[in-house]
Amino acid sequence: MSIRFLPMPTETATAYWNGGDDAYGLKPERQVSDGDGVPCRHCLRLVGAGEPYLILAHRPFPALQPYAETGPIFLHAQPCAAHEPSEDMPPMLTSRDYIVRGYSSENRILYGTGAVVPNADIPTYARDLLNREDIAYLHIRSARNNCYQCRVERA
């Protein structure tokens, strides 16, 4: 089975770039990157040293419900090209491990799917999970802070 890593939708990123409110109704905060650990959720690359970026609360779910986690993310302050969905690991995934978790078509966490997975094993674990019919998609989240990184689906 083929998988694909997906960025934040361009429509969502554009709303933030145009000054739209985040998931908490606040304006995104603007910072300048020191070049260390600032992954953009749209291009799925690290924000370079000296580049401006936004910090905002993001909820990567279509509606509020008990499993609709909200948390901080980073986004280039200026529009960037969206990551082309592909089976290749996004360049921003540079930590040694990440949480990989499955969700149902109703956007609910499927218990027993979440695991802290070594970086090199993410594609294999993602394929294994997406072989299950009850799993609609996956989230990759930071293993230390649970921050949303990107979505994984069947290709």
Side-chain angles (χ1 to χ4, degrees), residues 15-143:
Y16 295 137
W17 288 323
N18 289 335
D21 292 343
D22 71 6
Y24 293 146
L26 303 172
K27 298 293 180 201
E29 296 178 9
R30 190 178 179 95
Q31 298 289 324
V32 175
S33 175
D34 63 3
D36 184 31
V38 181
C40 177
R41 292 353 188 255
H42 187 251
C43 65
L44 302 187
R45 297 186 174 284
L46 295 175
V47 177
E51 291 183 316
Y53 68 96
L54 304 176
I55 303 172
L56 55 109
H58 181 63
R59 186 184 66 245
F61 296 91
L64 287 174
Q65 43 93 356
Y67 294 98
E69 299 155 295
T70 302
I73 64 161
F74 306 123
L75 184 66
H76 276 104
Q78 300 300 317
C80 56
H83 173 79
E84 187 65 36
S86 74
E87 198 161 11
D88 297 331
M89 285 273 287
M92 71 172 200
L93 296 180
T94 60
S95 290
R96 68 179 179 262
D97 51 20
Y98 289 89
I99 296 169
V100 179
R101 183 181 306 136
Y103 293 82
S104 70
S105 59
E106 291 81 30
N107 302 297
R108 305 295 175 131
I109 292 172
L110 291 170
Y111 288 100
T113 63
V116 176
V117 180
N119 191 312
D121 297 340
I122 289 172
T124 299
Y125 188 68
R127 281 186 207 94
D128 289 347
L129 286 178
L130 289 169
N131 273 324
R132 290 178 40 178
E133 289 183 23
D134 60 333
I135 297 177
Y137 62 91
L138 311 174
H139 278 182
I140 300 197
R141 292 177 168 269
S142 63

